[in-house]
Amino acid sequence: MVPTRTVELEGHIIDSGTMGRCFGLVMDMGGEFEVEAFDIGRHKDEESYCRMAVRADDPSLLQSILHELHQNGANLSDPVDATLDPAPADQVVPTDFYSTTNHPTEVRYEGEWLPVEHIEMDCAIVVDPDGPRAYTAVLNAIREGDLVVTGEAGIRVDPPDRPRGSGGPFGFMQGGVSSERPSESLIEQVAAALVETKEAGGRVLVVPGPAVIHSGAGDALARLVREGYVDAISAGNGFAVHDLERALYGTSLGMDIETLEHPRKGHKHHIYTISEVIRAGGIEDAVAEGLVEEGVMYECVANDVPYVLAGSIRDDGPLPETITDAIEAQNAIREQAHEADMVVMLATLLHSVAVGNCLPSTTKVVCVDINPATVTQLLDRGSSQAVGMVTDIGTFVPMLAEKVLD
């Protein structure tokens, strides 16, 4: 008898492409399917339903097909409780542990579906019977005896539907990369989305790279921070140093931002800045004593906007506030990401991907870079909810600030 399992798809599975994608997966992987029931939602607010039997020549191939279908929101029609196995040691997960997507997920425990807290990609799921509750845990946070979900039984994944219609400030959030759509109209939509997020009481996280300062867009970002449209900053040592150098010397990497000239000894301003801030005791102390009187970091300190500076092996200095322990930096970024309702990523590949890895697929993400590879890599890593703009960051940020504030 050919191994067969029945799966179900619900939601806006037609216009989002989910149903066709699942059909294609089964055939591409060498399986077969038979649609047993299909109810079509005939209005934009109605959902569709599909139940299909999936077959494969052997159980292992069927399991592989079911795994891929599950990642796309197809769930078994006869759910059982999730399988829980204790972690054998600290930072060690059981064999065949379930590795999460970034989509909203539930696990079945004692006949009840538990929402998985703080969902993000590439984590394990731990169930605490005392709640009961389920939550994600990165591998280094696993402790011996934690009950870890293994296999894929008793798990439901709900990928977000494509936004229906193009109206409203979030109508442009269709994912993908655009260098051809009119930049100004897209910036207007990003500005409207940012304003709506704030008016609804949401939090906006900005992930800027050094190019924001080097391109002359630092003043516009500082203005957004000052006016309350940025709730947190996640960046690297380089961004902060560029910004502080601009505040101290008017240069970025030795180049005068206004005249584009390179003053004598300007190439030393970068390292001089680090030295002066360290001498003061850190960024906050440099602001307090009047050494730094403008810029993004100044506005963060002056307006109590939290920031995380994650270090890297190539950092100069680094600044006292830069977190040089990679795990500690990841955890700090993760805390910011879990609180964000909208994330704006500006000209930084590494930090965009790092923050993107921590975000659920329900968080609105805008990624802007002159290099399309930055946006493409973010999408390829799994942040399919992101909308990408390929444009000059020095143009984007000032226009965004103008449309938000003016």
Side-chain angles (χ1 to χ4, degrees), residues 116-139:
V116 178
E117 301 170 10
H118 303 309
I119 191 67
E120 60 179 276
M121 66 179 74
D122 302 331
C123 290
I125 298 177
V126 176
V127 173
D128 179 4
D130 293 336
R133 57 186 285 258
Y135 58 91
T136 56
V138 292
L139 297 191

Side-chain angles (χ1 to χ4, degrees), residues 25 53 67 130 162 190 209 221 223 242 255 258 279 296 305 342 358 383:
L25 279 171
H67 170 79
D130 293 336
R162 179 179 66 84
V190 174
L221 179 55
R223 188 180 175 202
H242 276 55
M255 182 188 75
E258 304 299 332
R279 191 192 318 278
V296 179
V305 173
M342 180 176 179
C358 301
S383 299

Side-chain angles (χ1 to χ4, degrees), residues 46 83 155 215 263 278 328 332 353 361:
E46 291 183 356
T83 303
I155 302 170
S215 66
I278 292 174
E328 184 183 348
V353 172
S361 61

Side-chain angles (χ1 to χ4, degrees), residues 6-79:
T6 303
V7 299
E8 297 174 317
L9 288 161
E10 294 183 81
H12 300 294
I13 58 176
I14 301 174
D15 56 351
S16 67
T18 301
M19 187 174 69
R21 189 161 56 248
C22 288
F23 288 172
L25 279 171
V26 176
M27 294 184 290
D28 290 344
M29 295 182 70
E32 298 178 354
F33 68 88
E34 179 181 349
V35 176
E36 298 179 338
F38 185 27
D39 296 325
I40 302 175
R42 300 186 183 279
H43 302 284
K44 69 176 184 178
D45 295 326
E46 291 183 356
E47 296 185 345
S48 300
Y49 169 83
C50 175
R51 185 177 72 246
M52 63 179 181
V54 181
R55 304 183 183 87
D57 290 337
D58 62 79
S60 62
L61 176 57
L62 178 61
Q63 187 58 38
S64 296
I65 294 173
L66 292 174
H67 170 79
E68 294 300 327
L69 290 174
H70 185 261
Q71 304 296 299
N72 284 273
N75 299 300
L76 293 173
S77 61
D78 53 346

Side-chain angles (χ1 to χ4, degrees), residues 350-386:
L350 295 180
H351 286 270
S352 294
V353 172
V355 174
N357 287 349
C358 301
L359 293 172
S361 61
T362 50
T363 301
K364 299 171 181 67
V365 179
V366 178
C367 181
V368 185
D369 203 301
I370 196 66
N371 182 1
T374 298
V375 187
T376 301
Q377 186 163 339
L378 179 71
L379 298 174
D380 288 346
R381 279 288 301 152
S383 299
S384 57
Q385 81 277 23

Side-chain angles (χ1 to χ4, degrees), residues 216-227:
D219 288 343
L221 179 55
R223 188 180 175 202
L224 286 170
V225 175
R226 182 169 62 250
E227 299 296 334

